Amino acid sequence: MKKITAIIMAVVMIAAAFAGCGSNKTDSANKNTGKKTTDATVSEVKTATKGKLTMVTNAEFPPYEYKEGDKIIGIDAEVADLIAKKLGLELEIADVDFDSIIPGVQTGKYDMGMAGMTVTDERKQKVNFSDSYATGVQSIIVKDGGSIKSIDDLKGKKIGTQQGTTGYIYASDTPENGGYGEKNVIGYQNGALAVEALKSGKIDCVIIDNEPAKAYVAATTGLKILDTPYTKEQYAICFSKDNSELQTLVNNALNELKDSGELQKVVDKYIKAD
Ligand code: ARG
């Protein structure tokens, strides 16, 4: 009798252990992919430099990324740092021209591009994107008291943008597609140079994302943002199509930061509600 009880006990214990295993697995499984950033697989993730997460950006885009002395700060830089920490990696940031970001990610020179980058179908052909982490709006900056009073006055005007950005892509498109024609649009190396050109009267307006637009207008006298925004878009992090494993891990980390409210905290630090 004793022996039978012992056998039953053993069976019950083994069954319990198995049940435990099973439930553990579901607990730690992330809703999207089953890989939590704390899983052992994270330490094996392939990056351009072992132990590092290399983000490439264009640090001319306040408040997402800009320089304070030699340091690159901003929403993207801080969120990337939190992501890297979750993955047990050290963040390294490379600063290049905006239109060099995607090529650098495609070749695997950098692990991810994070630059207030808008998800577009054309870019999706070249790189993979994370889930979106912010909404952007293309705004129009004009001179106070200038000839452009609304978006309807843009036809035939000289429009400044940052080269390679959606502002350039949309504005330089044909009128049938809602643009103003390539010959009317100038792509500057960065937004600050476009704003400089507007100030000195070389161009009539600047089309750029609303948050940098606000930062530039706040730092310059005599400029304002038109009430009608040009277009609405989603920002996301881009990855090489060859490293979907890293993409998944970063995406999960990003979603954890969204869920915990840490992402919003970073945004609130840089963007004050108006
Ligand atoms: N959202 C725009 C785009 O994706 C502009 C981004 C510019 N970012 C930057 N870091 N300069 O084209």
Side-chain angles (χ1 to χ4, degrees):
M1 198 57 200
K2 235 181 175 179
K3 210 172 175 184
I4 290 173
T5 321
I7 290 169
I8 292 172
M9 284 284 285
V11 168
V12 167
M13 273 163 73
I14 290 166
F18 269 109
C21 252
S23 74
N24 253 347
K25 230 181 200 151
T26 16
D27 280 353
S28 67
N30 184 284
K31 4 181 187 12
N32 304 326
T33 60
K35 245 180 235 161
K36 228 189 161 207
T37 52
T38 43
D39 278 2
T41 42
V42 172
S43 56
E44 293 148 28
V45 65
K46 222 173 49 229
T47 57
T49 309
K50 202 167 184 280
K52 292 200 170 155
L53 180 68
T54 311
M55 152 186 169
V56 63
T57 195
N58 168 247
E60 309 272 2
F61 199 68
Y64 287 93
E65 45 267 330
Y66 56 104
K67 278 173 237 137
E68 205 174 69
D70 282 344
K71 220 178 152 225
I72 295 171
I73 59 165
I75 296 170
D76 288 345
E78 285 202 27
V79 171
D81 194 50
L82 293 174
I83 290 172
K85 287 210 171 85
K86 273 187 178 285
L87 303 185
L89 298 167
E90 192 195 324
L91 180 71
E92 196 157 278
I93 304 180
D95 183 22
V96 304
D97 280 345
F98 185 72
D99 43 16
S100 299
I101 295 176
I102 288 184
V105 166
Q106 276 182 299
T107 59
K109 183 167 181 197
Y110 310 109
D111 297 313
M112 62 182 208
M114 193 170 186
M117 186 180 281
T118 304
V119 180
T120 70
D121 287 340
E122 217 184 38
R123 289 175 181 165
K124 272 195 203 158
Q125 310 281 312
K126 299 178 181 157
V127 285
N128 286 343
F129 281 99
S130 68
D131 292 336
S132 166
Y133 64 91
T135 305
V137 171
Q138 293 295 317
S139 288
I140 305 164
I141 310 177
V142 295
K143 262 191 168 167
D144 240 341
S147 63
I148 302 177
K149 308 270 181 249
S150 86
I151 192 164
D152 304 325
D153 302 328
L154 251 55
K155 244 189 28 229
K157 293 285 195 297
K158 282 264 163 277
I159 302 170
T161 60
Q162 181 180 11
Q163 67 192 22
T165 63
T166 45
Y168 179 85
I169 297 164
Y170 301 147
S172 62
D173 210 337
T174 57
E176 300 83 71
N177 289 331
Y180 301 95
E182 216 173 335
K183 70 173 190 346
N184 293 312
V185 184
I186 303 166
Y188 291 89
Q189 199 189 357
N190 58 58
L193 289 174
V195 170
E196 208 44 58
L198 172 63
K199 248 179 75 183
S200 62
K202 288 200 191 88
I203 52 175
D204 303 302
C205 69
V206 172
I207 298 183
I208 193 162
D209 304 50
N210 59 328
E211 288 304 332
K214 282 199 246 166
Y216 288 132
V217 167
T220 325
T221 44
L223 300 182
K224 66 169 185 192
I225 298 172
L226 289 186
D227 289 338
T228 341
Y230 187 52
T231 153
K232 203 171 161 189
E233 29 192 51
Q234 295 299 323
Y235 294 168
I237 309 172
C238 71
F239 303 88
S240 153
K241 287 196 183 276
D242 296 332
N243 201 350
S244 54
E245 170 143 52
L246 179 69
Q247 178 193 351
T248 302
L249 290 168
V250 169
N251 201 39
N252 290 345
L254 178 69
N255 283 322
E256 286 172 23
L257 294 171
K258 280 189 206 166
D259 292 347
S260 68
E262 284 166 277
L263 181 96
Q264 192 56 45
K265 240 167 106 186
V266 175
V267 172
D268 292 343
K269 179 173 158 191
Y270 286 94
I271 301 178
K272 306 280 170 238
D274 5 46

